[in-house]
Amino acid sequence: DRICVVVIVLSLIVTLLFMNGEKLGIQRIADTDAEGYAGSEYFTENDLNGSWDPSEAVKITLCGDYAKISGNGAYWLDGSLVIAQSGQYVISGELTDGNIVVDAARNSKVWIMLSGVTLHCSDDACIRIDQADKVFLTLADGSENSLTGGDAFTENAPADGTDAVIFSHDDLTINGNGSLSIVSSALNGITSKDDLIITGGTVSVTVSGHGLQVNDHFRMTSANLTVSAGQDGIHAEGAVVIQDGNLTITAGDDAVHSDASILILG
């Protein structure tokens, strides 16, 4: 009986704190990068931080047909570098026919810095995000990075609708001060099943499909984005927000298409 009374009293105290916490001076902390966050800002601090310190990150060197991994959280499997844990990773080097796959816990935040990466993948996405809460793809200062997709996917490609050189099931942010070239004669450039955010870098997309295909919202600021696409340059089911930057599009269909709204602020 005493234990039950104590539990009930503690439950009431916790309930009162949750209901009146702000009046009592308790500050509410929200994960603005969480997939379910519904705040009003377009970009979070992590979105805009393209110069995070890589000194504590896992170092990975791509070596043609295998990878050297210094640290925990990633492994090599059948031609793929698999990132399986939240954390920070710095990748350099070249894969002649392979890819990078993010397959972490659903609540994971993953930071990947491309520091001079050349990837070709003949039958899958060069970078494929199977699962994470959010992935930050950072272009290292001054680096040149190149992703080339194959002519078409083979029967070995995943049966999850993968249709792009970069394919993500979850929120994806591209930032930093380097450059990224995306080329394919058969695919979209970037497909995100959630939000796609670009806040830095020089990104060039040359593809036969959509340049950027976004199932939710597309947002851009402080980046140089050039798209040459056989279909739409930017195709979003959610809102398109271009805060500033430089955007050049050559498209077979719409330059910018949104099923919701297009907002250009600068």
Side-chain angles (χ1 to χ4, degrees), residues 32-54:
T32 54
D33 287 303
E35 204 165 309
Y37 180 72
S40 59
E41 64 266 14
Y42 295 130
F43 308 101
T44 69
E45 286 188 20
N46 285 327
D47 288 333
L48 298 170
N49 183 15
S51 299
W52 48 271
D53 183 4

Side-chain angles (χ1 to χ4, degrees), residues 13-68:
I13 292 172
V14 170
T15 301
L16 288 171
L17 286 173
F18 271 108
M19 293 176 65
N20 301 282
E22 291 184 356
K23 294 179 181 179
L24 297 173
I26 298 175
Q27 184 178 1
R28 179 183 298 175
I29 298 175
D31 181 0
T32 54
D33 287 303
E35 204 165 309
Y37 180 72
S40 59
E41 64 266 14
Y42 295 130
F43 308 101
T44 69
E45 286 188 20
N46 285 327
D47 288 333
L48 298 170
N49 183 15
S51 299
W52 48 271
D53 183 4
S55 60
E56 300 299 322
V58 176
K59 306 299 190 299
I60 301 171
T61 303
L62 307 176
C63 304
D65 57 358
Y66 69 99
K68 295 179 180 178

Side-chain angles (χ1 to χ4, degrees), residues 58 69-75 85-86 88-89:
V58 176
I69 302 169
S70 177
N72 298 319
Y75 59 90
Q85 294 181 12
S86 61
Q88 297 178 336
Y89 303 83

Side-chain angles (χ1 to χ4, degrees), residues 157-168:
D160 61 357
T162 303
D163 60 0
V165 179
I166 298 178
F167 181 85
S168 178

Side-chain angles (χ1 to χ4, degrees), residues 204-257:
S204 172
V205 179
T206 305
V207 293
S208 60
H210 296 313
L212 311 179
Q213 164 76 53
V214 187
N215 278 29
D216 284 343
H217 307 300
F218 172 72
R219 299 174 183 139
M220 170 182 157
T221 187
S222 303
N224 296 301
L225 175 61
T226 302
V227 177
S228 178
Q231 299 181 34
D232 292 346
I234 298 172
H235 184 104
E237 295 182 15
V240 171
V241 177
I242 300 170
Q243 181 166 287
D244 58 39
N246 297 301
L247 177 60
T248 304
I249 295 177
T250 304
D253 294 323
D254 295 340
V256 181
H257 173 100

